[in-house]
Structure formats: structure tokens, C-alpha cells
Amino acid sequence: RSEIWASGLRNPWRFSFDPEAGTLWIGDVGQSAREEVDRVPADRGGLNYGWNVMEGDLCFEPPSGCDARGLVQPIAVYPTSEGCSVIGGYVYRGQAFPALQGGYLYADICNGFVWALDAAGSPAQRPVRLLASDRAISSFGQDEEGELYVTDLQGGQVLLVTGESR
């Protein structure tokens, strides 16, 4: 049906648009084995993200030999042994950190990690871990200058993303 924009998402936890690149980013929480991040053109509706045939880049039902033809493949995945619940973020378009310009930042609520992907990069890229914190990062926000914020569920705080380049 035309009003169904997307199917095959298990538990999308935060999505955002990058108007500069014309992309839609989705953090999709997995079932038991994989967490995933998806990137697609923002104007492409009707796509199937694969749940419950796939969980991230693995077959789910059936457990092997599944047919992934026509399914959106995630740009990044990580096993639940490295976290428990992906938190979708934003493509950084702020000015405070030029080295992050054009990077998609996302997190995991259980381990406090924040990762970055090159928003224009290939799906085969490996994310870069920017931060290991003791925060329970539950969401991201963005101000009108493109600077990013995170919410800490444990501490009940909204925090501006800051840091020093290495």
C-alpha cells in the first residue's frame, strides 16, 4: 500500500534525515544477535529492511540459507556481545569539530559507546569508536547549528557532545 513507507524494521530506535546528502538513517534494534544501522535515499519509500528474514547481516528465519534478494542491507552491524541496543543518531553538520563533519554518530545504550561512520562512505566501512563512556545514551538531539547532544537515561541529563581532536 502506498502509505506504508517501509517494512522489515524490527525496532527502529531513532531515525534522522541528513538534508545535505538527502539520506535517511535508522538505528534498528536487533532480536538477539545483531544491532544495525541503515542508510537509504530519503525519497525511496517502499523498501524492505529484512526483518524477520534477516537480523542485521545474518539470516534469522530460516537460520541459514535465507533469501536476502531485494532487502536493504545495513551500512553497519555489531553483535550483541558488543552492546545491547543501538541508538540512532545524526550526521554531524556542526562547526565545532571539523574532523567529524559528514560523520554519522550513533550509540549503544548499554555500553555508552559512540561510533561514527562516514556518511558518504560505502556499506563495507568499519565504524570508528569515538567514545567509551559510563552513560546510558538513550537519544541524540541536534541544534540549529548542527551541534549534537545526547541524553543520559541513568543520569537524567542532556549533554552537549564535546571533545578534543587527536
Side-chain angles (χ1 to χ4, degrees), residues 74-140:
I75 188 168
V77 295
Y78 61 96
T80 53
S81 62
E82 294 179 17
C84 74
S85 187
V86 66
I87 306 298
Y90 287 93
V91 174
Y92 182 74
R93 299 293 182 193
Q95 301 303 311
F97 305 104
L100 291 180
Q101 190 64 231
Y104 174 75
L105 277 66
Y106 64 102
D108 189 284
I109 194 168
C110 293
N111 61 21
F113 290 178
V114 175
W115 292 277
L117 292 165
D118 178 357
S122 76
Q125 68 180 296
R126 293 191 48 84
V128 174
R129 189 169 76 189
L130 299 178
L131 173 69
S133 75
D134 60 353
R135 307 286 183 170
I137 298 170
S138 59
S139 191
F140 283 82

Side-chain angles (χ1 to χ4, degrees), residues 134-139 149-160:
D134 60 353
R135 307 286 183 170
I137 298 170
S138 59
S139 191
Y149 296 78
V150 295
T151 58
D152 176 10
L153 192 61
Q154 259 177 323
Q157 298 172 310
V158 176
L159 305 156
L160 176 64

